[in-house]
Amino acid sequence: MNLSNRISQISASPTLAMAAKARELKQAGLDVISMSLGEPDFPTPAHVKQAVKDAVDADLSHYGPVPGTPGLRAAAAKYMSNFVERQSGDEDTFVAEDIIVSVGAKQAICNAIETIVSKGDEVILPTPCWVSYTEMVKLAEGVPVMVRTTMDDDFLLTPEALESAITPRTKLLLLCSPNNPTGAIYSTERIAALSEVLLRHPNIAVIADEIYNQICYVGKCATWASQRELLDRLVVVNGVSKVFAMTGYRIGWLACKNKEFIKACTRLQGQQITCATMVAQYAAEKALEGDLTCVTDMTAAFQHRRDLIVSLAKDIPGLKVRCPKGAFYLFPDVTALFGKQAPADSNYAKARRSRWINSADELCEYLLTDGLVACVSGSAFGEPTCLRISYACSEQQITEAMLRIRKAIEQLS
Ligand code: PMP
Ligand code: GLU
């Protein structure tokens, strides 16, 4: 079969590939600690599980409206509006009609890109960025324009860098805060400064992926939705996967005040999926409407884990660590380890017939084969000097994993 050019240019998700590799090794009997996937290890809150059971019993098993059930759309609008109100005081930013519910935030982002980007349009992606953005842009036949941010600049896009990346072909700015993989968070002031640039370029839309917005360790987490003048060309993405430990339910959504966009995006979704799974939508609605103590409890646990992993990682020679402000990833610079050699009798050296470690990809492989810890190379996120370590796992696993990483690194010569 001859596959399409479009699909031939798309690479597999490196985060999912690494998770699958770790799973395989575990099944083969190896005691691998998987820190590759951004997936909370907590059980889904009890009241949400009960909601699914109720939905099954109520026979919520038929097709529903394309953009989502009225109940979930209203709950998502309220949840997001409450978030905006806490940050900026603005009330009722979103209403149910502004929301499209999809199969995870992943699909919401993909649909939004498809709806906005035409062939050859440029999409500005501040890197490091989540692995799927570039491939989604390519699927839409757009051109990803990577704008590198650095650890010294807190991994945040500057207004100057944004301005100089803009060309007459620029159609979209796509960014994420709190950020996967860096844990960086854009402040209200930085968002306002970037917005000022965008206001001079009225044809550029913005997708703000705020799926980690509740997982924030620095008080208030700013939102792009507080930029009133941008609202007509702003799409904000969110979902229940991370914050409510509901990754497998596959419910996410986008919010946008532009009616034309909502109509077009709904048309696309109607041809693609009809609607997201009805029982999962009901469960997500109950999650958003319910007591949010479970969210604050999980965030407090993530913060504890963040403190633990940062303190352990800072002690490991060769890792340059910056303290993440949100989400659940550590993204240390590992360039000090490039040019070192693995022990001659290591699994890494035997499998590759070379002992050299010259990149984050190679370090990642060495840590997996000889440290039995699965991480993801920074190159997957457009930053080949770093490594992503997900700390959405137990404190015991974090402690053991960092010990293994330390031992493996200490054996390099
Ligand atoms: N955006 C970012 C930044 C993510 O890390 C993820 C993780 N999967 C998603 C979107 C997609 O989430 P979902 O599980 O809702 O598809
Ligand atoms: N977003 C998570 C991660 O970055 C889940 C895997 C994925 O969808 O990429 O690990």
Side-chain angles (χ1 to χ4, degrees), residues 116 172 195 197-207 229-235 256-258:
I116 296 168
L172 178 65
S195 298
V197 175
L198 293 164
L199 289 175
R200 292 198 289 276
H201 300 275
N203 297 327
I204 302 178
V206 180
I207 299 178
E229 287 170 285
L230 269 190
L231 279 181
D232 195 49
R233 48 187 164 119
L234 172 69
V235 179
C256 180
K257 298 301 294 178
N258 186 309

Side-chain angles (χ1 to χ4, degrees), residues 80-392:
M80 293 183 74
S81 297
N82 287 347
F83 194 81
V84 180
E85 192 180 338
R86 280 201 301 277
Q87 315 313 312
S88 63
D90 295 320
E91 292 175 26
D92 301 324
T93 300
F94 296 111
V95 294
E97 292 69 31
D98 302 329
I99 307 287
I100 303 179
V101 176
S102 293
V103 180
K106 199 174 232 176
Q107 197 209 2
I109 300 165
C110 204
N111 283 2
I113 293 172
E114 283 282 356
T115 306
I116 296 168
V117 173
S118 302
K119 187 171 182 172
D121 285 346
E122 292 177 2
V123 178
I124 296 179
L125 300 173
T127 63
C129 69
W130 181 43
V131 295
S132 292
Y133 295 159
T134 44
E135 306 312 291
M136 289 172 177
V137 170
K138 286 197 262 166
L139 258 183
E141 300 186 285
V143 180
V145 176
M146 323 284 264
V147 179
R148 197 171 186 185
T149 68
T150 62
M151 190 180 269
D152 291 339
D153 220 354
D154 247 350
F155 289 122
L156 294 172
L157 180 67
T158 61
E160 297 76 27
L162 172 62
E163 184 79 68
S164 54
I166 292 173
T167 76
R169 301 232 57 156
T170 307
K171 194 70 184 293
L172 178 65
L173 166 67
L174 167 52
L175 39 63
C176 175
S177 177
N179 185 273
N180 174 5
T182 65
I185 295 184
Y186 283 85
S187 64
T188 307
E189 293 71 29
R190 181 64 68 97
I191 292 175
L194 294 170
S195 298
E196 223 178 280
V197 175
L198 293 164
L199 289 175
R200 292 198 289 276
H201 300 275
N203 297 327
I204 302 178
V206 180
I207 299 178
D209 181 352
E210 299 186 352
I211 190 164
Y212 296 97
N213 66 350
Q214 309 272 1
I215 307 173
C216 164
Y217 316 124
V218 287
K220 283 183 179 181
C221 178
T223 168
W224 277 79
S226 62
Q227 299 303 305
R228 315 307 285 180
E229 287 170 285
L230 269 190
L231 279 181
D232 195 49
R233 48 187 164 119
L234 172 69
V235 179
V236 184
V237 173
N238 212 318
V240 287
S241 286
K242 313 290 175 176
V243 165
F244 291 90
M246 292 174 68
T247 43
Y249 283 67
R250 310 306 304 127
I251 296 292
W253 59 84
L254 57 80
C256 180
K257 298 301 294 178
N258 186 309
K259 290 192 166 45
E260 204 189 343
F261 169 88
I262 290 289
K263 249 181 156 165
C265 201
T266 305
R267 213 157 62 226
L268 170 64
Q269 178 151 298
Q271 297 293 7
Q272 265 180 341
I273 61 157
T274 304
C275 66
T277 309
M278 291 296 279
V279 293
Q281 288 197 62
Y282 186 72
E285 178 186 331
K286 294 301 157 200
L288 298 184
E289 286 174 352
D291 183 357
L292 296 185
T293 314
C294 56
V295 173
T296 36
D297 287 351
M298 286 190 270
T299 301
F302 285 134
Q303 183 157 1
H304 228 253
R305 295 169 181 189
R306 191 267 318 244
D307 294 344
L308 175 66
I309 197 165
V310 166
S311 73
L312 294 171
K314 275 191 167 158
D315 255 5
I316 299 180
L319 300 192
K320 186 172 154 199
V321 175
R322 186 188 129 279
C323 188
K325 296 195 167 108
F328 35 62
Y329 308 104
L330 191 71
F331 200 61
D333 180 304
V334 290
T335 43
L337 301 172
F338 298 171
K340 293 199 178 269
Q341 294 194 77
D345 61 348
S346 62
N347 296 326
Y348 175 84
K350 283 185 219 152
R352 298 172 64 96
R353 299 214 197 97
S354 160
R355 296 170 57 191
W356 291 105
I357 291 178
N358 285 322
S359 66
D361 288 7
E362 289 174 353
L363 179 66
C364 202
E365 187 167 337
Y366 170 65
L367 293 179
L368 180 63
T369 54
D370 290 85
L372 296 182
V373 180
C375 313
V376 183
S377 165
S379 61
F381 306 90
E383 186 44 76
T385 59
C386 294
L387 198 67
R388 192 190 78 172
I389 309 173
S390 165
Y391 54 87

